[in-house]
Structure formats: structure tokens, C-alpha cells
Amino acid sequence: MNCDTQVLVTGAAGQIAYSLLYSIAKGDIFGNDQPLILLLLDITPMLSVLDGLLMELQDCALPLLKEVIPTDKEEVAFKDIDVAILIGSMPRREGMERKDLLKANVRIFKSQGLALDKYAKKEVKVIVVGNPVNTNCLIAMKTATSIPKENFSCMTLLDHNRAKAMIGSRLEIPTSSVKNVIIWGNHSTSQYPDVSHASVTLNGGKVMGVYDAIQNDNWLKGEFITMVQGRGAAVIKARKLSSAMSAAKAIGDHLRTIWFGTPKGEWVSMGVNSDGNTYGIAEGLIFSFPVKFQNKTWKIVNCLEINDFSREKLNLTMKELIEEKNSATELLLSDK
């Protein structure tokens, strides 16, 4: 039997965590032979909700789940953890200015970065989900100075999955038959869903590039991109709540990719630290790239051709991320 893996989920009283926790505890993410300890962190008014989650997880009678620890204390939640899933963030409220949203989240993710630095294992894998996800990840990474930068990533696999699903629907094929879409940049409406390197396996078994299979460049360069970019808002409009089930599924996909690697010849989209030497993306941004994983270590898929259309899209989302980084860094320095 393996040693216990200690998994922290922040924002644990929220909808995404509720959709995620059973999959983790059952063994769907870290393996069906991996015993787990779950640490559930949320703000003090949510402790009674965490107690209810504890009871539900106990009532599931899951053999891999050794312990559940609900808490509102970072020194308890971050102690010796192997995985940090940072879901909790300040959501944008009606009338809230972007700078106010950034300021609130800088404070949250600075605090959590310091807690990671002080209490977590140095090999901890940190996955940031709370929006604005790229910049929140950057703040946590910059604050947790003793943890390697490559241990931090933010989730753009929800957008990746959305893109796959839309291509599959358009061609009336399973999403498993769509390979190697890319989400570039920011998890925002500036993101660039790119299928110029993607392929599909059609129902007859023929493998083709997406552009050749769909034969509608205007749709792929127009409506498809805006649909992926605006899917989160469309879910909120229809459901009156933000994505939870699909976000939890994407977190699971993200974590399984880290733990078990990417299939041969495939990549996934993930926000990781830019070293300034790849695809012309500025250094020090958390930018979504196509990545491959082996031995829990990511590597950006290099040397893909970037055409003029794609370059324009990459530059737009990079510009937005630079602006967010500069604003957040200024707030970080002023928040003493």
C-alpha cells in the first residue's frame, strides 16, 4: 500500500469542490490504490458547510479515504500537503472594478503562497482554479519562493475540453476522436482556442486535420473561437450559476495528466510559467501552452508553426496578461 497523499482543496464549501471531492476520494484521480487525506479549507462562516461535507464523505464509506480535515486555518490546511487545489477566490460582483477584484485576489493568493512556502512539502504540486486564474497562480508562485516554479500550474483544461466538444459536435464524432487542440494565453475572453495543429478521427476511421475535416475556415476563425471564449458566460446565463460539474471534471483531467502523463503523440493545455524563450511569450507570465507530462514534469510542446492569424491572437492575450501581471505586482508590493 502506498503512503497517504495529502490533498488540500480551498474554497471547499463551494460548488466546484462539491462536484470534485467524491472523484478524488473514490480514487478516480490519483489511482484506485492510493490512500488519501483530504484537507478542506474555507472561510470561518463556511465551517458548518465543511462539517456537512465531512459527514457526506464519511457516509460514502470510501476505502481509500483515511481522513478528512475541515478547517479555516491555513497552518492546518497547508501542513505537509502533496497537492494544493486552489479553487477559492474572490468572484467578481456586480459593479466591482477590475482593479478591486485583482486587489482582493492578490491578498488571498499572497496569503496562500506564504502558507505554501511555510508549511507545504517543497515538492507540492499547486493547481490554481480560482479566477483570474493565470494571475492568481502567478501571485502564489511569486510568494512561495522556496517551491520550484515548475510545480505551479493553472487550469485551462476546461477551455480545452470545451473546444474539443465543439469540434466533436460539429463533425458528429466523439470528443475522444479530437486530438491536440490548444488553448493559448489567458483564461479569459482573450484566450485563443487554436485547432490549426489538431486532428480528428472521422467515423470511417480516417484521420484528418480539423481545418480539412470541417472545411469552413470562417467558422473556425470566427464563431468557434468566440463560442469557446464566451462559454463560461453562456453557462452562467443559462444556469444562473457558474460552471461547476465541467470545472470539476477539468480539474480531474488536469491532475491525472500531472500524475500519469500525457498519451504518446498528445498534449493538453495548461497555464505554466513562461521562460521568455517559447513562442515569443514574455518571461514571467503564467501563460497557457500546449504541454506534455512525464514523471510529473511538464514540457512545453515546442516548434509548432505559428501563422500570422495565430500570432495576432497570441499577442492580444499576452498583452492582457502583461497588464494583469503589472497591476497585480504593484498591488503585491503595496500590500505590506
Side-chain angles (χ1 to χ4, degrees):
M1 182 67 81
N2 298 328
C3 296
D4 297 345
T5 293
Q6 298 203 106
V7 181
L8 164 65
V9 178
T10 74
Q15 289 191 87
I16 295 174
Y18 192 81
S19 297
L20 173 67
L21 287 168
Y22 177 75
S23 294
I24 295 176
K26 183 172 175 285
D28 291 345
I29 293 172
F30 298 103
N32 58 14
D33 61 348
Q34 179 57 61
L36 298 162
I37 295 173
L38 276 176
L39 297 107
L40 309 180
L41 176 67
D42 216 309
I43 58 176
T44 305
M46 293 292 107
L47 282 176
S48 64
V49 178
L50 296 187
D51 287 338
L53 279 174
L54 167 63
M55 288 186 276
E56 282 211 71
L57 286 164
Q58 290 171 334
D59 293 349
C60 288
L62 298 165
L64 294 175
L65 188 58
K66 300 304 179 186
E67 189 176 5
V68 181
I69 303 171
T71 183
D72 60 350
K73 296 178 174 59
E74 289 181 341
E75 63 268 27
V76 174
F78 286 84
K79 180 68 173 173
D80 294 331
I81 54 171
D82 300 285
V83 183
I85 307 168
L86 307 184
I87 300 173
S89 66
M90 171 68 76
R92 189 165 191 164
R93 299 194 176 103
E94 189 175 351
M96 180 181 279
E97 295 289 334
R98 184 169 161 272
K99 64 181 180 181
D100 296 325
L101 179 69
L102 271 176
K103 185 175 182 179
N105 280 295
V106 163
R107 190 164 288 125
I108 291 168
F109 284 86
K110 177 184 177 181
S111 179
Q112 293 185 354
L114 290 170
L116 283 162
D117 197 58
K118 186 173 182 179
Y119 301 113
K121 294 177 181 176
K122 298 312 173 191
E123 61 271 23
V124 63
K125 298 297 184 184
V126 184
I127 298 88
V128 180
V129 180
N131 286 315
V133 63
N134 298 62
T135 300
N136 287 345
C137 184
L138 179 68
I139 293 300
M141 183 185 75
K142 286 171 73 76
T143 311
T145 54
S146 67
I147 295 171
K149 291 181 178 179
E150 58 267 26
N151 288 20
F152 289 82
S153 59
C154 77
M155 191 182 76
T156 54
L157 255 172
L158 176 54
D159 309 299
H160 183 102
N161 287 346
R162 287 165 170 165
K164 285 179 63 175
M166 289 179 194
I167 296 297
S169 176
R170 182 84 176 189
L171 293 170
E172 299 182 345
I173 58 174
T175 54
S176 58
S177 296
V178 183
K179 309 290 186 188
N180 293 344
V181 303
I182 303 170
I183 302 297
W184 298 98
N186 200 3
H187 174 65
S188 74
T189 54
S190 80
Q191 67 176 256
Y192 171 40
D194 178 12
V195 293
S196 59
H197 305 284
S199 65
V200 293
T201 303
L202 301 179
N203 291 324
K206 185 177 181 179
V207 179
M208 301 179 69
V210 168
Y211 271 83
D212 292 333
I214 289 183
Q215 296 185 345
N216 189 332
D217 290 12
N218 288 335
W219 184 79
L220 287 169
K221 290 182 175 181
E223 186 181 352
F224 164 71
I225 291 174
T226 56
M227 281 198 306
V228 177
Q229 291 171 335
R231 186 65 164 189
V235 170
I236 291 171
K237 183 177 180 181
R239 188 173 173 258
K240 314 306 178 192
L241 294 165
S242 60
S243 303
M245 180 169 51
S246 55
K249 162 64 165 54
I251 295 169
D253 292 344
H254 185 121
L255 288 163
R256 275 190 298 273
T257 298
I258 294 174
W259 247 247
F260 300 108
T262 41
K264 187 176 180 180
E266 295 184 35
W267 59 67
V268 297
S269 303
M270 198 173 288
V272 296
N273 183 51
S274 171
D275 63 4
N277 297 316
T278 311
Y279 297 114
I281 302 306
E283 182 179 3
L285 297 178
I286 298 292
F287 194 93
S288 183
F289 292 101
V291 300
K292 292 184 177 182
F293 264 87
Q294 188 174 12
N295 299 323
K296 297 183 183 177
T297 302
W298 56 263
K299 184 177 181 180
I300 296 171
V301 177
N302 227 325
C303 301
L304 296 175
E305 183 180 349
I306 305 297
N307 59 31
D308 290 343
F309 178 82
S310 295
R311 173 54 57 197
E312 183 181 348
K313 297 294 187 184
L314 264 66
N315 287 343
L316 281 171
T317 193
M318 177 173 66
K319 180 176 182 288
E320 182 181 64
L321 278 171
I322 290 171
E323 290 171 356
E324 279 192 21
K325 175 191 174 184
N326 291 342
S327 297
T329 301
E330 185 179 327
L331 289 165
L332 184 64
L333 291 172
S334 65
D335 183 34
K336 299 297 185 183

